[in-house]
Amino acid sequence: MPMKVEQVTLSVDGLAIAAELYLPTSHLPFPTSHIPALIMCHGIPAGPYDPSDKSYSEMAQRIAGLGFAVFIFNFRGAGLSQGNFDILGWAHDLHAAIDYMHERQEVDRKRLFVLGSSAGAAVAVYVTAHDTSTSSGQRSRVSAVACLACPAQFGVEKGDAKRLLEQARRVGIIKDPGFPPSVEEWRANFREASPIRWIDKISPRPLLLIHGEQDELIPLGQARELYEKARQPKELILLPGLGHRLRREEKPMQVALEWFQE
């Protein structure tokens, strides 16, 4: 399907957040807004930014080929986005992405979906639970949420916080030597954003949880814990033989896209 790609820069907390919008052009122009839209949220990068890695944009193109408007972006600190990694800062970034897509005239506001991976899934849960439309005053503009390998909680205790900070600096999502100014506040933000605290607030929007049975980072029990806490409508799909990085696997992405199409 023919498509158009737009380079987008969101301004969030004084930071430039790099993004791209993929639009299926066979549906343009519209007399009315009717394209379903999908916002994709990545997790914590496994390594430094690699401009030659096109997997994220290739996935966006594939989904746009199914008739979705697809918005991909780098959370602060990641990719070409400014700033430093902070989980509530990431929540601000996603909220801004929802603002942007909600105002696009091509988008069907009744079909605005979010797909998150790992920490991005946690942020998707947190933001959807809190998001309201300023124009209508009604609860979330997000119509449905799918989570790949979502943690129930981050467990960033003192030792874990040090390891996570070291990892974040190593992969380049924390760039400033003096960040965070308060490690305790930085840790507290993770406690605040823990999905187990907010997963029951997704209802009545549909929720899909997808988890690999061999996930080496997020124990399978956390997926079951989230499912038990969530309210209907909800679905948990466990995939045998798969580990943590589900976004790069064919099966979980196929399951998620079919679910959104339904």
Side-chain angles (χ1 to χ4, degrees):
M1 179 183 293
M3 68 187 67
K4 178 174 68 171
V5 182
E6 296 183 12
Q7 303 297 318
V8 177
T9 301
L10 302 176
S11 179
V12 190
D13 300 334
L15 301 172
I17 302 301
E20 292 179 337
L21 173 62
Y22 293 75
L23 287 169
T25 55
S26 62
H27 294 295
L28 297 173
F30 315 95
T32 57
S33 305
H34 66 276
I35 292 186
L38 179 65
I39 299 173
M40 296 180 64
C41 304
H42 64 76
I44 297 173
Y49 171 59
D50 179 2
S52 68
D53 183 0
K54 303 298 183 183
S55 61
Y56 206 26
S57 59
E58 288 171 358
M59 179 58 65
Q61 292 177 47
R62 173 187 168 188
I63 299 171
L66 299 175
F68 288 84
V70 184
F71 191 78
I72 63 174
F73 66 103
N74 291 128
F75 283 114
R76 63 186 62 193
L80 297 176
S81 292
Q82 295 177 342
N84 297 287
F85 169 53
D86 172 75
I87 201 68
L88 290 187
W90 279 23
H92 295 173
D93 300 340
L94 175 54
H95 192 90
I98 294 170
D99 287 344
Y100 178 83
M101 290 300 285
H102 192 257
E103 295 305 316
R104 291 288 306 210
Q105 64 177 356
E106 306 94 338
V107 168
D108 182 350
R109 294 179 178 177
K110 295 180 180 179
R111 293 185 292 169
L112 178 55
F113 310 124
V114 176
L115 171 64
S117 299
S118 193
V123 171
V125 169
Y126 179 81
V127 171
T128 301
H130 287 81
D131 183 61
T132 58
S133 170
T134 55
S135 60
S136 67
Q138 299 298 312
R139 186 168 285 275
S140 180
R141 298 162 293 181
V142 177
S143 304
V145 181
C147 298
L148 307 177
C150 185
Q153 58 273 327
F154 291 100
V156 184
E157 304 301 336
K158 289 184 179 180
D160 293 329
K162 181 179 179 181
R163 284 191 290 271
L164 184 54
L165 281 169
E166 289 174 351
Q167 177 189 356
R169 292 190 175 103
R170 185 173 62 253
V171 302
I173 57 176
I174 290 182
K175 303 175 178 66
D176 298 336
F179 186 90
S182 168
V183 174
E184 181 53 41
E185 288 184 11
W186 188 78
R187 289 176 58 230
N189 289 347
F190 285 93
R191 291 193 294 268
E192 167 66 16
S194 290
I196 195 63
R197 299 186 60 187
W198 308 106
I199 196 77
D200 58 326
K201 305 298 191 299
I202 299 298
S203 177
R205 280 102 27 164
L207 169 69
L208 174 64
L209 298 169
I210 303 176
H211 213 89
E213 290 187 353
Q214 306 303 317
D215 192 316
E216 67 282 9
L217 294 180
I218 309 298
L220 187 56
Q222 292 199 27
R224 294 194 172 103
E225 186 180 0
L226 286 172
Y227 180 76
E228 290 301 319
K229 178 75 180 294
R231 294 186 292 173
Q232 296 289 352
K234 60 182 179 179
E235 186 173 357
L236 171 63
I237 296 179
L238 304 178
L239 298 177
L242 293 185
H244 182 68
R245 300 198 174 277
L246 296 180
R247 184 174 64 83
R248 294 178 179 271
E249 299 285 348
E250 176 66 26
K251 181 61 175 179
M253 293 305 300
Q254 179 183 347
V255 168
L257 292 178
E258 289 176 354
W259 184 79
F260 282 124
Q261 287 177 303
E262 290 175 5

